[in-house]
Amino acid sequence: MVESKAVVDLTRDEARAELDRLARLLGEANLAYHTDDAPVLSDADYDAAKRRNAEIESRFPDLKRADSPSDQVGAAPSEGFGKVRHVVRMLSLGNLFEDDEVAEFDARVRKFLNLGAQDPLAYTSEPKIDGLSLSLRYEGGKLVQAATRGDGEVGENVTANALTIKDIPQTLQGAPDVLEVRGEVYMSHADFAALNERHAQTGGKTFANPRNAAAGSLRQLDPKITEARPLRFFAYAWGDLSAPLAETQFGAIERLKALGFQTNPLTKLCETPQEMLAHYKSIEAQRATLGYDIDGVVYKVNALSLQQRLGFRSTTPRWATAHKFPAELAWTTLEAIDIQVGRTGALSPVARLKPVTVGGVVVSNATLHNEDYIEGRDSKGEPIREGRDIRVGDWVQVYRAGDVIPKIADVDLGKRAPNAEPYVFPKTCPECGSDAVREEGDAVRRCTGGMICPAQAIEKLKHFVSRGAFDIEGLGAKQIEMFFHDEVLPIKEPADIFTLAERDAGNLAKLKNRDGFGEKSAKKLFEAIDSKRKIPLARLLFALGIRHLGENGGALLANHYLSWAAFESAMTSAEVGSGPAWEELVSIDGVGSVLAASVVTTFHQAAERASIDRLVAQLDVEDVELRDTSGSPVAGKTLVFTGTLEKMTRAEAKSRAEALGAKVAGSVSAKTDLLIAGPGAGSKAKKAEELGIETIDEDAWIALIAGL
Ligand code: IVH
């Protein structure tokens, strides 16, 4: 903190200036604490600033500001939002980028539903609002809870804040008894500009774009701050319901409108992909004059019965998709190329740019992908940018699409300095000096240092605590950097996170008074860590940071093996490429041999394995809770479909079976419980007969699952 005069010595003008400064400081500290990963003030400094503010106010009561930090309830940074588990998961959407993909989306939907090209199939098309999603729960017509999306399963309870948003009705007439309305909180361009102007004048934080402003405003612990921010809300979907809203998407949106919600006026019912595309073009043409940010158009199958049949992939619905607007471009100077080492050892070239505004956002870094990309070749050796390479000092084109990391798309050779040298990609790791090698067929050069490479270790840890993984409050990327280099209480591998409190001897002695940590925040961190010892299997698998194992892969493996014990013993006994454990692994739908080999190899590397074992010893890994499939005749059974199905496509049959708790396998074995054989069934039916496995036809299958 700045050295300051004793309060009794302050002149009136000095007192006024200091109250302004403290209001700003505390406002920023609140914001940094709640919206960023890291606090800008330690608890002690925060408390001292608040105390000084109060002392000055008591000496000069007439100088107390209207927005005095002393009056801000709930703004103490020690409290966070409560957590809300969504009854119905909040999903994201798949993306399309090209016009042709609209017809492909329609074709995929038809194929799944077994509809011919001429069968009627309508979609709604509506703007994709660039804000943040919110779920509003009404019970008996009264708003009882508002929650952010969070990770889709658990969000933050922002009820008090939602109550301050004028577009959100607090009571509903004639709504189902339970109704969760979902939609987007956003800020208009005009309100955003005015807010930033106001903040710039008062020295407050200015926001990079309306979406950040909306997010920062909704996620305020003090609802009074949210109330002062001009947030709006469009309703476009729903979650838990006690009675259906309508039979169609369009009807449901009309119903939400009749209930008093704002719905987007550009929502249109389209009968063909051509009409969808035409509406997309029309919305794109209006984009600049809408007065709020949109980043694409969302298409949704109109009939809710078809939406239900189409169901979901692991994180996105099959019945909807987002058609994104094309990326935005700008030109600037490439000042340097840095090499970053990722958690799997990949050396990634990063372009450091002279800052430039691309579509309203200031960009100073962009990805250059890999060494071939810099040299002007793609992964197959074919020229890109007509073979033009990229050199430091070049005039380059920056391309940004939505939230994706900006990239360098092109280079202007006419502006290249005559002495510009071709870029030489390093052959050793810039972080640990180990050799960096490119394997046959791999576009990426990788550090071979493994666990000894600090950059890999840090990136692995950052991934481990990230959102879809352990998501530990108060332990973000910045704190990981700090702990990694800490000599007294280091965190070098994931297990160290969970022994932190124990190593601190439980008395906060070592952690306290360290950069950004006071007694309160240290205690809070230990609590946050402890609360994550219990972790769902899928999250743990994703968190391990194994190459090729993403969130989807984690879910697939978890849903198959169900417990850590089963997974671990299968990986221990598996050998890459052969044997029953390997066969079982690659038989999981969606698990290819690349992912499988990566996981098995990791489990056989002694150092990696020991590190995983040390971690798991600290955890309570939750088994996969099978969905409530009571009443399902196929729960826990292994099914095989063969022959032609006529009333349902194979994809739909599989999706239905899985939703009812069954596993669907590709071939008949002694583990098969039931074979569903349509006309034309051949060897599988024969094998089932030999093995004495129950076999039924499609009608019997439909009768079996009817009404479920
Ligand atoms: S529908 C099950 N409609 O986009 C799918 N989402 O990328 C429910 N979004 O998380 C989403 N405008 O926050 C839908 N008209 C719209 C939307 C929209 C914006 C957001 C939403 C979602 C994200 C997915």
Side-chain angles (χ1 to χ4, degrees), residues 544-673:
L544 292 178
I546 296 172
R547 196 168 150 206
H548 303 296
L549 180 55
E551 259 175 307
N552 190 36
L556 292 173
L557 293 176
N559 289 339
H560 181 86
Y561 291 102
L562 306 178
S563 71
W564 172 258
F567 173 73
E568 189 233 80
S569 97
M571 292 311 108
T572 308
S573 61
E575 269 171 65
V576 174
S578 63
W582 171 262
E583 292 305 329
E584 178 176 352
L585 181 58
V586 291
S587 79
I588 303 170
D589 198 27
V591 176
S593 55
V594 174
L595 166 57
S598 175
V599 177
V600 173
T601 310
T602 304
F603 271 74
H604 285 80
Q605 276 163 359
E608 294 271 4
R609 178 59 199 266
S611 167
I612 294 174
D613 288 347
R614 283 192 289 274
L615 168 68
V616 173
Q618 295 292 330
L619 304 175
D620 170 12
V621 185
E622 287 177 298
D623 292 352
V624 173
E625 224 177 276
L626 290 172
R627 269 166 289 210
D628 181 13
T629 45
S630 45
S632 160
V634 293
K637 302 221 163 131
T638 301
L639 273 47
V640 174
F641 291 92
T642 185
T644 320
L645 299 185
E646 287 161 337
K647 306 203 167 100
M648 218 181 245
T649 61
R650 194 65 82 75
E652 183 176 1
K654 178 165 182 287
S655 154
R656 291 280 287 135
E658 285 171 348
L660 291 168
K663 285 185 188 168
V664 179
S667 57
V668 172
S669 73
K671 285 194 188 161
T672 311
D673 295 300

Side-chain angles (χ1 to χ4, degrees), residues 162-350:
L163 286 167
T164 71
I165 300 176
K166 293 177 190 56
D167 284 349
I168 295 179
Q170 304 198 357
T171 54
L172 302 176
Q173 299 290 325
D177 191 41
V178 173
L179 168 62
E180 274 179 16
V181 176
R182 291 178 176 177
E184 204 83 352
V185 173
Y186 67 102
M187 195 179 280
S188 75
H189 289 157
D191 287 337
F192 167 70
L195 176 72
N196 261 358
E197 171 87 47
R198 220 164 53 232
H199 278 202
Q201 275 171 11
T202 54
K205 173 179 168 148
T206 55
F207 295 99
N209 54 46
R211 189 166 63 100
N212 287 1
S217 303
L218 183 68
R219 297 183 69 259
Q220 284 289 336
L221 274 194
D222 179 359
K224 279 202 217 125
I225 301 181
T226 308
E227 189 170 17
R229 304 276 175 85
L231 294 176
R232 303 180 180 213
F233 180 80
F234 273 130
Y236 53 65
W238 54 93
D240 196 17
L241 277 178
S242 56
L245 287 173
E247 286 184 2
T248 62
Q249 178 75 30
F250 201 80
I253 298 302
E254 304 241 276
R255 179 91 192 276
L256 290 176
K257 191 171 167 194
L259 285 170
F261 290 93
Q262 299 298 319
T263 58
N264 196 287
L266 295 175
T267 308
K268 184 175 185 244
L269 193 58
C270 298
E271 310 284 346
T272 64
Q274 292 72 24
E275 275 182 41
M276 291 151 78
L277 192 56
H279 193 50
Y280 169 90
K281 298 283 175 197
S282 149
I283 292 175
E284 191 182 20
Q286 298 174 66
R287 187 178 181 189
T289 53
L290 286 178
Y292 50 86
D293 273 357
I294 62 173
D295 58 350
V297 171
V298 184
Y299 306 126
K300 297 172 186 168
V301 168
N302 190 40
L304 300 187
S305 58
L306 297 184
Q307 285 190 5
Q308 213 206 338
R309 280 179 59 194
L310 284 153
F312 302 90
R313 295 179 216 94
S314 59
T315 56
T316 56
R318 286 194 193 85
W319 47 264
T321 196
H323 187 173
K324 294 300 218 33
F325 291 134
E328 314 210 41
L329 301 171
W331 288 85
T332 189
T333 306
L334 173 63
E335 295 187 325
I337 297 177
D338 286 349
I339 301 290
Q340 280 180 353
V341 183
R343 73 182 151 86
T344 59
L347 266 51
S348 306
V350 179

Side-chain angles (χ1 to χ4, degrees), residues 343 463 466 468-469 537-546 549-551 554:
R343 73 182 151 86
H463 168 79
S466 68
L537 179 58
R539 264 186 186 249
L540 169 64
L541 296 179
F542 170 63
L544 292 178
I546 296 172
L549 180 55
E551 259 175 307

